[in-house]
Amino acid sequence: MIRNALQPWHLLVVLLVVVVLFGSKKLPDAARSVGKSLRILKSETKALREEDAQREQGQGREQTGRRPGADVTS
C-alpha cells in the first residue's frame, strides 16, 4: 500500500490545486522567492562550512604549538 502511495497523477492533482489556490499570476513570484531563499541558504551553508574548516585548522595549530611560517628562517 505504501509502495504505490504517490503516483504521477497525484502530482498532477497537487499541481492543479496549487494553481487554483494561488493563481497563475502569483506562481512565478513565489518560485522566484523560493529561488532567492535557496541561494541565500546555500551561501550561508557554505560560509558556515568554511568557518568550521578554519576553526579546525586553528585548533590543529594550537595542538602542535606551531604557527604558520614559524619554521621560516630570516
Side-chain angles (χ1 to χ4, degrees), residues 22-34:
F22 295 106
S24 60
K25 292 182 181 180
K26 291 186 180 181
L27 287 178
D29 293 334
R32 197 172 299 116
S33 297
V34 168

